Amino acid sequence: RYLSMERTQTSFIVLHVLPGRDSTVIRDALRLRLPDVDVWKSAEFSWRSRNFWLVQTGAGGALTVAAILGFGIGLVLVAQAIYSITAENIEEFATMKAMGASDRDVHFVVLVQSLICGIVGGFFGLVVVEPFAVLLRVMVSWMSVPYWMYFVVVGALTLLCVLASLIAARPALGVEPARVFRA
């Protein structure tokens, strides 16, 4: 039936191989018999489809730009929040420095504050993703959130918090320890 179709009548044809048959052997036989036709196994087709949509259509570029913008906006928001917390507690940082705390100690305190904010916010964000993904699968059946993506998000969030803490630690590092002793 396929051989009598015009090129415009089909884009893909799916073949199911009977149990016990080697799909690689069948694929290779079809490639020999139909040299002008691309014949792929499921995994090959999946890879080529993803590659097409991410690389050749521009969707991958748009997703990359959106991810970079999201990271940048998140970095600014977290840095601003941690900066505000640091500025509000500048007297405590002055006290720490008056007691002999090093810049490294101050950085560590700000980093811990940033990571706590990131863990709390990230936990709530990741908990909300799965119910929404389940709800959206009703409308978009092929949508999925692979579990490895959660680890990528946690890694990106950790990097975001570390960078934000480096930005937000500046007022605490510049405070004079003598500030504590002024009336």
Side-chain angles (χ1 to χ4, degrees):
R1 281 188 286 169
Y2 168 73
L3 295 176
S4 65
M5 289 183 182
E6 295 293 324
R7 284 189 170 273
T8 58
Q9 289 180 308
T10 184
S11 295
F12 304 101
I13 296 177
V14 178
L15 299 176
H16 295 280
V17 178
L18 294 173
R21 298 289 186 122
D22 187 1
S23 60
T24 304
V25 171
I26 294 172
R27 178 202 60 198
D28 294 342
L30 285 171
R31 282 182 177 170
L32 286 173
R33 189 170 177 190
L34 306 167
D36 295 336
V37 177
D38 292 325
V39 181
W40 301 313
K41 291 172 59 175
S42 295
E44 295 167 329
F45 180 70
S46 173
W47 169 251
R48 288 178 183 262
S49 295
R50 284 182 278 152
N51 187 44
F52 172 78
W53 285 105
L54 290 176
V55 177
Q56 296 176 0
T57 64
L63 289 172
T64 302
V65 169
I68 291 169
L69 284 173
F71 186 86
I73 292 168
L75 177 62
V76 168
L77 291 174
V78 172
Q80 189 176 23
I82 301 303
Y83 189 92
S84 295
I85 292 169
T86 303
E88 286 176 9
N89 296 305
I90 200 72
E91 297 298 327
E92 286 79 1
F93 288 107
T95 303
M96 281 178 60
K97 289 184 102 178
M99 293 172 44
S102 67
D103 284 350
R104 187 176 182 176
D105 296 329
V106 172
H107 266 293
F108 181 75
V109 170
V110 175
L111 174 63
V112 169
Q113 290 174 341
S114 180
L115 287 173
I116 289 171
C117 287
I119 288 168
V120 171
F123 174 76
F124 285 116
L126 290 173
V127 164
V128 169
V129 166
E130 191 58 33
F132 275 110
V134 169
L135 183 65
L136 286 174
R137 273 190 212 107
V138 173
M139 295 180 285
V140 185
S141 62
W142 50 265
M143 192 205 79
S144 69
V145 180
Y147 285 101
W148 58 264
M149 186 60 71
Y150 291 104
F151 296 108
V152 170
V153 169
V154 167
L157 184 61
T158 302
L159 176 63
L160 187 142
C161 290
V162 168
L163 293 174
S165 71
L166 293 174
I167 295 167
R170 290 187 323 174
L173 294 173
V175 70
E176 289 294 322
R179 179 180 180 147
V180 175
F181 304 113
R182 292 188 195 135

